[in-house]
Amino acid sequence: VSGNLMSLGAIDFGLVVDGAVVLVESLIAGFYSLTPVERKNLSKDEIVSAKAKDVMRPVVFGIAMIMLVYLPILLLEGVEGKM
C-alpha cells in the first residue's frame, strides 16, 4: 500500500512541475529571442507577462488532460480512495 500512496503523491507533484517547467522554458527562450532594442524598451515585467500569456492556455489544457487521465483514481476504494 505504501508504494501506491507514494505514486498518488507523485501525481500531484507532477502536475505542478509540468506546468512550471513549460512556463520557465518559455520565459528563458523569450529573453534570448529578443533583440537588444526590445530588451532596452521593454521592462522585465512586460516581457514575462507577454511570454506567460503565450503559453498559459496550452499549459492549462495540458494539465487538464493529465488530470482527466487520472480521473479514474477518484473511483478507487480503501486507503487509495481516501487519499
Side-chain angles (χ1 to χ4, degrees), residues 41-56:
N41 293 336
L42 296 172
S43 71
K44 288 183 181 179
D45 290 339
E46 292 171 334
I47 296 169
V48 169
S49 176
K51 295 301 175 184
K53 286 179 185 177
D54 289 344
V55 295
M56 280 316 270

Side-chain angles (χ1 to χ4, degrees), residues 5-66:
L5 293 177
M6 288 179 63
S7 297
L8 289 174
I11 292 169
D12 296 337
F13 184 71
L15 287 174
V16 172
V17 170
D18 183 48
V21 166
V22 171
L23 183 59
V24 169
E25 285 180 355
S26 172
L27 293 176
I28 291 172
F31 280 123
Y32 286 114
S33 68
L34 294 175
T35 64
V37 175
E38 290 174 324
R39 285 185 194 161
K40 194 174 189 180
N41 293 336
L42 296 172
S43 71
K44 288 183 181 179
D45 290 339
E46 292 171 334
I47 296 169
V48 169
S49 176
K51 295 301 175 184
K53 286 179 185 177
D54 289 344
V55 295
M56 280 316 270
R57 185 175 176 159
V59 166
V60 169
F61 281 114
I63 291 173
M65 284 189 279
I66 293 170

Side-chain angles (χ1 to χ4, degrees), residues 5 8 73-83:
L5 293 177
L8 289 174
I73 291 176
L74 295 175
L75 302 175
L76 294 174
E77 296 178 359
V79 176
E80 293 85 6
K82 292 178 183 177
M83 281 285 291

